[in-house]
Amino acid sequence: MKKSFLILAVVAMCTITPSQAQELIPPAQITVSGEGKVKVEPDQAFISISVENKGSDATSVKKENDKTVAEVIKAIKDLKLPKEDVQTKRVSLSSPYDYDKKKYNYVATQTIEILLRDLSKYDMVMEKLVNAGVNTIGTVDFRSSKLAEYQSQARKLAMKEAQLKANDYVSVLGQKVGAAIMISDNSQPNYPRPMMYSSMAKGAASSDMPRETIAIGEIDVTANVTVSFKLN
């Protein structure tokens, strides 16, 4: 029986044509990475703000926080920001234990997120929010309204760099880069967070607010790829 299986295996191997045997051999190839980067001046800001109150009584702390939040929401409405650009993100009431005073305190917090589409209004918006009672500014993320367009540019630059690398490597071997046989997108979302604040003075006077408080600068929109090219 064993001899029969051996004979069948030999016959099967003999029936493989030269072209089929060649197909079983992986083609000569080179794998390289490429990065594309586009520097962009942002035209939007994503702002996270919070109102926080502390006290020994849960009911009074919650009422005080709700009162302040109402003033903040009124200020936001007065700014005439689009409704879809303003969202209450988190509402919480916690009771952390104060080990020094050996008692529980209550902390009420409400967080609101704002997409500001006109950066020229940044200082005016922040001034009104702080004066309305905002006492914590979590983060300010700079963004671009044309992100998809710049991402496309970055991807094309990444592919060009990968092809250039491959040509550099094989040029000394007398070979040429052929068609791409595998492309992997390794890009990761990248929003810088250049500004972080906390515990701002509640009710800061308008005259105390500095003007032009942000340096917008540029953000990098990047794309990373891994490409395998067939070698001719």
Side-chain angles (χ1 to χ4, degrees), residues 151-170:
Q151 286 174 330
S152 177
Q153 293 180 19
R155 286 191 288 267
K156 292 175 182 177
L157 291 174
M159 288 298 297
K160 287 181 179 179
E161 184 184 74
Q163 188 173 38
L164 179 61
K165 278 186 180 180
N167 283 322
D168 285 343
Y169 285 128
V170 304

Side-chain angles (χ1 to χ4, degrees), residues 8-224:
L8 289 173
V10 172
V11 172
M13 291 177 63
C14 293
T15 58
I16 297 177
T17 65
S19 60
Q20 289 175 326
Q22 189 174 5
E23 289 178 359
L24 295 176
I25 301 174
Q29 60 182 277
I30 181 173
T31 301
V32 293
S33 61
E35 180 179 83
K37 181 180 295 185
V38 180
K39 289 189 173 295
V40 180
E41 182 175 338
D43 57 3
Q44 297 178 343
F46 180 80
I47 305 169
S48 176
I49 58 173
S50 297
V51 175
E52 182 179 287
N53 279 280
K54 301 178 181 179
S56 57
D57 180 72
T59 302
S60 59
V61 169
K62 182 65 168 61
K63 285 183 178 180
E64 182 65 24
N65 211 68
D66 288 346
K67 179 180 177 182
T68 306
V69 169
E71 291 297 321
V72 172
I73 291 177
K74 181 179 181 302
I76 292 174
K77 289 182 178 179
D78 291 341
L79 291 167
K80 300 187 183 302
L81 300 177
K83 291 182 179 180
E84 62 271 18
D85 293 344
V86 181
Q87 183 180 36
T88 297
K89 191 64 177 180
R90 184 172 66 92
V91 179
S92 68
L93 178 64
S94 59
S95 55
Y97 186 74
D98 189 332
Y99 289 94
D100 293 330
K101 298 180 180 180
K102 296 182 178 180
K103 67 175 184 178
Y104 287 96
N105 285 321
Y106 293 90
V107 181
T109 307
Q110 184 159 330
T111 300
I112 299 173
E113 294 179 344
I114 299 172
L115 177 61
L116 184 62
R117 298 179 185 271
D118 185 353
L119 289 181
S120 66
K121 297 180 179 180
Y122 174 84
D123 286 298
M124 180 265 291
V125 168
M126 299 306 289
E127 179 178 346
K128 289 186 178 297
L129 292 175
V130 172
N131 286 336
V134 169
N135 52 17
T136 300
I137 300 176
T139 58
V140 178
D141 296 348
F142 290 126
R143 299 184 176 185
S144 172
S145 60
K146 298 180 180 179
L147 182 61
E149 175 184 334
Y150 295 126
Q151 286 174 330
S152 177
Q153 293 180 19
R155 286 191 288 267
K156 292 175 182 177
L157 291 174
M159 288 298 297
K160 287 181 179 179
E161 184 184 74
Q163 188 173 38
L164 179 61
K165 278 186 180 180
N167 283 322
D168 285 343
Y169 285 128
V170 304
S171 61
V172 297
L173 303 176
Q175 294 178 289
K176 291 185 179 180
V177 175
I181 56 179
M182 188 278 293
I183 301 173
S184 176
D185 184 0
N186 306 319
S187 304
Q188 298 292 331
N190 179 27
Y191 284 124
R193 299 173 180 259
M195 304 174 65
M196 298 189 71
Y197 304 85
S198 64
S199 301
M200 294 187 63
K202 183 177 179 179
S206 299
S207 59
D208 295 333
M209 293 293 292
R211 311 311 301 169
E212 297 184 0
T213 59
I214 55 173
I216 297 174
E218 294 179 328
I219 58 176
D220 292 334
V221 179
T222 60
N224 292 277

